[in-house]
């Protein structure tokens, strides 16, 4: 990760920290009123300013030349704190110092009064990584801290910090930085470096940073290295391998308009364009999530430009909630499959087909008939179920023969099955094996079977595949089974 810009633009006082207003104010007030606690816990996502604020606070409570609550960053306390050469400021990364010995060392160090500062400040980053023993040692010190000690514990995973530790601290929950705030900050950094960046490009970077300052500046750094002249949306997308929000929006349009062919071509284009399909999938899911949040009214302000915000609102409005959920589910499933698929684009192409096909108005006569049957029971079923069933039974061999023309593989699932009754508009067919039953249960297959039954018998029925209880009848030499096997060219084994 490129951290040049991040280090250069790290805020040095409370006033220049963007976002986290509530935390800034509370800490600044503690400094101004000289009410400094012994232990603070900063929790929140990575790159949102936890360590930055911890360091500002460490200087502010010790600075001899404060303006209000702001450290001067010049005095003999501030300077060594800034350079991290002071004995009164200790920063440890718990990720690499997890053991009880590391904490004991800290505690020993705390026994001595500060050399120059008023407070000895200990910043423990990623505190959740400490071992159990280390936490216990830390807890003892937090219970009876030396009067000159100030602990600032930082974590991205608060649920891994023991409750006994949390209860000894003042807790501050840091939030992700919004896209608008982050864009604004990135715009400032870019202009300070005499770099021209389009509004759309800033938004793309801010979106990709996912609420993290550190990531945002690191991404800007990366893009700046490639830029000759103005940084555009296209450049950002190329350098970072992102799919821009406009492109994601267009893809959703294709799905919603049931344009199967275009949607699949869209995926192919991404593949040939060398895009990271896994990243695209992630970006698209995030986009769908925002449409969902807009739809349910949680929020529609994601910090995007006016044009894009409006487009997203329109899309959310035009879509029914179940349809949004359906598309999300289809693509969520694809996300899990991309990693394992030998053809990376296949799960996405399938998802595109599924998301467009399912809501297509019925076109083929097969599907049309299936849908009609689902809606209202046709009259002829009510004539008398016994009679109708006899008719189906009599025609079963022809039904199987006809099915063979439609779909050869269906026969292997049906050859051991038997129709046993008609219930309402359903034809109950029993299967000795679950996988045969499941195959016929699949909607597409069921529709074909229903269609063939109608063609042969003139009856509108829906097949209801049912698993046969026990195995007694499996080997029964039955007329129906025999005729089925004849069609398959097989023999009944005894
Ligand atoms: Zn100072």
């Amino acid at each position: 990760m490129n951290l040049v810009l991040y280090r250069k633009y790290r805020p040095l006082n409370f006033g220049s920290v963007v976002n986290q207003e509530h935390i800034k104010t509370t800490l600044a007030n503690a400094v101004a009123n000289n009410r400094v606690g012994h232990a603070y816990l900063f929790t929140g996502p990575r790159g949102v300013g936890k360590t930055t604020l911890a360091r500002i606070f460490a200087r502010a409570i010790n600075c001899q030349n404060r303006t209000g609550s702001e450290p001067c960053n010049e005095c003999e306390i501030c300077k060594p704190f800034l350079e991290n050469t002071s004995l009164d400021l200790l920063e440890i990364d718990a990720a690499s110092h997890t053991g009880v010995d590391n904490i004991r060392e800290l505690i020993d160090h705390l026994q001595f009064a500060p050399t120059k500062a008023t407070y000895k400040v200990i910043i423990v980053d990623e505190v959740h990584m400490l071992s159990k023993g280390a936490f216990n040692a830390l807890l003892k010190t937090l219970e009876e801290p030396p009067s000159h000690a100030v602990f600032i514990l930082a974590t991205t995973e608060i649920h891994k910090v023991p409750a006994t530790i949390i209860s000894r601290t003042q807790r501050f929950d840091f939030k992700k930085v919004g896209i608008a705030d982050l864009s604004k900050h990135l715009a400032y950094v870019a202009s300070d470096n005499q770099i021209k960046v389009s509004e759309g490009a800033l938004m793309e970077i801010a979106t990709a940073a996912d609420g993290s300052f550190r990531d945002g500046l690191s991404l800007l750094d990366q893009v700046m290295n490639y830029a000759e002249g103005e940084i555009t949306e296209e450049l950002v997308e190329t350098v970072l391998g992102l799919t821009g929000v406009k492109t994601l929006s267009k893809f959703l349009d294709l799905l919603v308009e049931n344009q199967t062919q275009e949607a699949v071509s869209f995926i192919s284009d991404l593949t040939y364009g060398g895009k990271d399909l896994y990243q695209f999938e992630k970006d698209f899911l995030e986009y769908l999530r925002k449409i969902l949040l807009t739809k349910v009214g949680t929020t529609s302000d994601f910090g995007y430009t006016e044009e894009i915000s409006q487009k997203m609102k329109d899309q959310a409005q035009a879509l029914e909630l179940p349809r949004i959920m359906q598309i999300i589910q289809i693509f969520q499933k694809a996300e899990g499959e991309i990693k394992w698929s030998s053809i990376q684009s296949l799960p996405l192409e399938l998802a595109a087909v599924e998301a467009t096909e399912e809501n297509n108005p019925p076109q083929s006569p097969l599907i049309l008939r299936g849908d009609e049957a689902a809606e209202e029971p046709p009259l002829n079923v009510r004539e008398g179920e016994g009679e109708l069933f006899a008719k189906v039974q009599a025609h079963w061999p022809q039904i199987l023969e006809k099915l063979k023309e439609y779909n050869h593989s269906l026969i292997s699932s049906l050859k051991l099955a038997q129709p046993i009754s008609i219930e309402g508009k359903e034809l109950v067919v029993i299967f000795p094996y679950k996988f045969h039953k499941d195959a016929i249960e699949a909607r597409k297959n069921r529709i074909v079977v229903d269609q063939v039954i109608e063609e042969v018998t003139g009856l509108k029925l829906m097949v209801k595949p049912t698993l046969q209880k026990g195995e007694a009848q499996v080997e029964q030499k039955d007329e129906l089974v025999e005729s089925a096997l004849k069609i398959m060219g097989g023999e009944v084994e005894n």
Side-chain angles (χ1 to χ4, degrees), residues 59 63-66 71-79:
R59 289 194 301 279
C63 175
Q64 297 168 330
N65 208 1
R66 241 173 16 221
C72 73
N73 295 327
E74 301 281 336
C75 69
E76 59 168 353
I77 303 282
C78 284
K79 277 218 145 158

Side-chain angles (χ1 to χ4, degrees), residues 277-278 281 333-341 344 347-348:
L277 291 180
Y278 191 68
E281 168 71 32
K333 201 178 93 209
E335 186 187 24
E337 289 163 1
I338 288 179
K339 277 187 187 166
W340 310 108
S341 177
Q344 242 209 342
L348 277 173

